[in-house]
């Protein structure tokens, strides 16, 4: 497995990570299988995917426990990342997913202790603030995050879905090792400002949902495939008429994939990897076959003509949320 140095922090990650969210949160609840998820995490490490991403939100809490169990005895082989700062309202879940940012220092301090206990470790390699809390100045939240580095509970700290303004304000207090934001062939907003800012300022960029929440793999061709309780069924891009029109994007990805004897998932990931040397996507998978498919994207070299073709794919119909 190739590795990438993500920015100035010295954090070295496998060129793709493994996102564990879908194993315990918002997707395909009826198909969940903790035993298979455990095998996926272990196999990922065997294959050299050493960057593992979770959050206290996922479950909530149970995903960290699952990850902790799967990594027992192998903790030192991985770069373990988790997040705090988003609190779910479970009264409507999963019919409606409602989460509220909490960036108060006392919440951050308490959250890491819970995460370390569930993960079965005394430190995480990357602790990420899941969202900026509009009610709390970033300086206060980030100051609390920096204290965790000083206390040895986190090796590095990162942000998620932050704007350039937040990155600048946080960086003035303590280095931002990474930024996690949605980036894929149908979610390209970060290319305009945040991704180049990260490259210029030595911050690693970790694209989440790089497979378009599964859509870009070509396996979701009809809204009927998603039960109403699946988070995706509630999102504008997956609404029946939007989804049907968005299949034009998948058709374009499949065309490139055929030329390379690759899968659409591999092309979608290779495009993300081509966005810069500081970029490490975190595809999510709950199945061994998908994990093994995704790992091969690291060796897929897209040519200039492929990238131009993929860059020219239609914009999606429907907003992200
Ligand atoms: N910071 C944030 O706010 C935030 C938000 C969302 C996600 N994330 C992180 O990003 C990670 C990934 O995001 P995501 O799960 O939303 O989206 P994703 O990686 O774009 O897509 C995941 C979906 O794609 C399917 N899939 C994966 N590989 C496949 C393949 N080779 N062929 C066919 N289908 C495939 C998965 O199905 P199977 O499960 O059946 O394999 C799953 O339904 C999460 O696990 C989490 O760590 C962070």
């Amino acid at each position: 497995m190739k590795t990438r140095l993500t920015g100035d922090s010295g954090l070295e990650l496998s060129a793709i990570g493994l996102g564990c969210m879908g194993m315990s949160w918002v997707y395909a609840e009826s198909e969940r299988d903790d035993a298979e998820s455990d095998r996926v995490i272990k196999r990922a490490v065997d294959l050299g995917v050493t960057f593992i991403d979770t959050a206290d939100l996922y479950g909530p809490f149970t995903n960290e426990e699952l990850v902790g169990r799967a990594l027992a005895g192998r903790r030192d082989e991985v770069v373990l990342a988790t997040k705090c700062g988003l609190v779910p309202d479970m009264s409507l879940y999963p019919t409606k997913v409602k989460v509220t940012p909490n960036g108060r220092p006392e919440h951050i301090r308490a959250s890491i202790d819970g995460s370390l206990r569930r993960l079965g470790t005394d430190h995480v390699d990357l602790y990420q603030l899941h969202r900026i809390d509009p009610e709390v100045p970033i300086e206060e939240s980030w100051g609390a995050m920096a204290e965790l580095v000083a206390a040895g509970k986190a090796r590095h700290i990162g942000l998620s879905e932050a704007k350039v303004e937040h990155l600048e304000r946080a960086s003035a207090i303590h280095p931002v090792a990474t930024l996690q934001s949605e980036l894929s062939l149908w979610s390209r907003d970060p290319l305009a400002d945040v991704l180049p800012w990260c490259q210029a300022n030595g911050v690693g960029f970790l694209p989440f949902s790089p497979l378009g929440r599964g859509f870009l793999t070509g396996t979701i061709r009809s809204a009927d495939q998603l039960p109403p309780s699946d988070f995706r069924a509630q999102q504008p891009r997956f609404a029946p008429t939007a989804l049907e029109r968005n299949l034009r994007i998948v058709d374009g990805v499949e065309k490139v994939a055929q030329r390379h004897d690759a899968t659409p998932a591999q092309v979608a990931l290779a495009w993300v990897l081509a966005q810069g040397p500081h970029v490490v996507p975190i595809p999510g998978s709950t199945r061994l076959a998908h994990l093994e498919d995704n790992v091969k994207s690291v060796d897929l070299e897209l040519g200039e003509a492929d990238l131009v073709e993929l860059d020219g794919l239609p914009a999606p119909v429907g907003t992200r949320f």
Side-chain angles (χ1 to χ4, degrees):
M1 168 60 66
K2 292 175 185 161
T3 57
R4 289 187 167 196
L5 263 181
T6 52
D8 293 346
S9 66
L11 198 57
E12 188 172 8
L13 306 176
S14 50
I16 65 164
L18 175 67
C20 299
M21 179 185 80
M23 297 172 183
S24 320
W25 186 242
V26 295
Y27 301 155
E29 203 148 333
S30 58
E31 292 167 29
R32 260 181 224 151
D33 178 349
D34 279 2
E36 176 74 351
S37 295
D38 182 82
R39 284 190 286 273
V40 169
I41 296 169
K42 290 187 164 88
R43 179 84 179 125
V45 183
D46 291 340
L47 292 171
V49 177
T50 52
F51 175 42
I52 309 290
D53 185 65
T54 177
D56 59 4
L57 173 69
Y58 306 156
F61 308 124
T62 52
N63 192 243
E64 288 184 329
E65 289 166 355
L66 174 74
V67 169
R69 278 195 304 274
L71 293 177
R74 306 188 72 177
R75 165 70 185 88
D76 294 343
E77 293 177 52
V78 300
V79 176
L80 184 54
T82 191
K83 318 182 193 78
C84 68
L86 268 185
V87 180
D89 173 354
M90 294 305 286
S91 62
L92 299 168
Y93 182 87
T95 317
K96 195 163 170 34
V97 178
K98 191 165 177 268
V99 291
T100 310
N102 185 342
R104 290 197 305 274
E106 59 274 22
H107 177 73
I108 291 170
R109 284 184 209 114
S111 295
I112 192 147
D113 291 336
S115 289
L116 295 178
R117 193 181 63 249
R118 287 184 292 274
L119 289 164
T121 183
D122 63 357
H123 74 278
V124 287
D125 301 294
L126 179 64
Y127 199 47
Q128 302 157 105
L129 186 62
H130 215 148
R131 288 290 181 278
I132 311 292
D133 184 343
E135 307 291 326
V136 179
I138 176 102
E139 288 77 6
E140 284 183 27
S141 304
W142 201 243
M145 296 284 286
E147 281 171 22
L148 303 179
V149 178
K153 295 181 181 183
R155 293 276 187 268
H156 301 276
I157 50 178
L159 288 166
S160 172
E161 293 256 281
K163 300 189 173 113
V164 166
E165 180 213 327
H166 296 125
L167 288 159
E168 285 177 340
R169 284 168 59 189
S171 299
I173 293 173
H174 185 94
V176 179
T178 56
L179 171 68
Q180 192 173 133
S181 276
E182 185 166 353
L183 175 67
S184 72
L185 279 162
W186 77 346
S187 294
R188 303 180 187 202
D189 289 351
L191 298 182
D193 53 359
V194 172
L195 185 132
W197 188 93
C198 286
Q199 182 147 22
N201 291 278
V203 175
F205 189 89
L206 312 175
F208 74 69
S209 305
L211 297 167
R213 302 187 185 270
F215 183 71
L216 298 166
T217 68
T219 50
I220 304 170
R221 301 204 72 92
S222 156
D224 297 340
Q225 286 173 251
L226 300 170
S229 61
D230 189 303
F231 172 73
R232 291 167 289 195
Q234 303 156 24
Q235 305 313 308
R237 287 180 186 179
F238 289 90
T241 38
L243 188 148
E244 202 174 309
R245 291 187 57 200
N246 286 331
L247 286 172
R248 293 174 305 166
I249 304 172
V250 177
D251 292 343
V253 180
E254 284 177 343
K255 213 167 119 199
V256 176
Q258 276 161 14
R259 275 208 303 271
H260 286 273
D261 199 16
T263 64
Q266 288 162 1
V267 169
L269 292 173
W271 178 86
V272 172
L273 283 162
Q275 302 311 309
H278 63 312
V279 175
V280 173
I282 324 164
S285 178
T286 61
R287 294 171 212 235
L288 280 174
H290 289 166
L291 166 76
E292 288 170 5
D293 186 14
N294 298 342
V295 164
K296 294 184 192 134
S297 65
V298 170
D299 297 313
L300 174 59
E301 295 275 345
L302 296 174
E304 201 47 47
D306 299 318
L307 292 172
V308 169
E309 196 172 317
L310 292 167
D311 287 342
L313 289 175
V317 175
T319 50
R320 287 199 296 142
F321 299 107

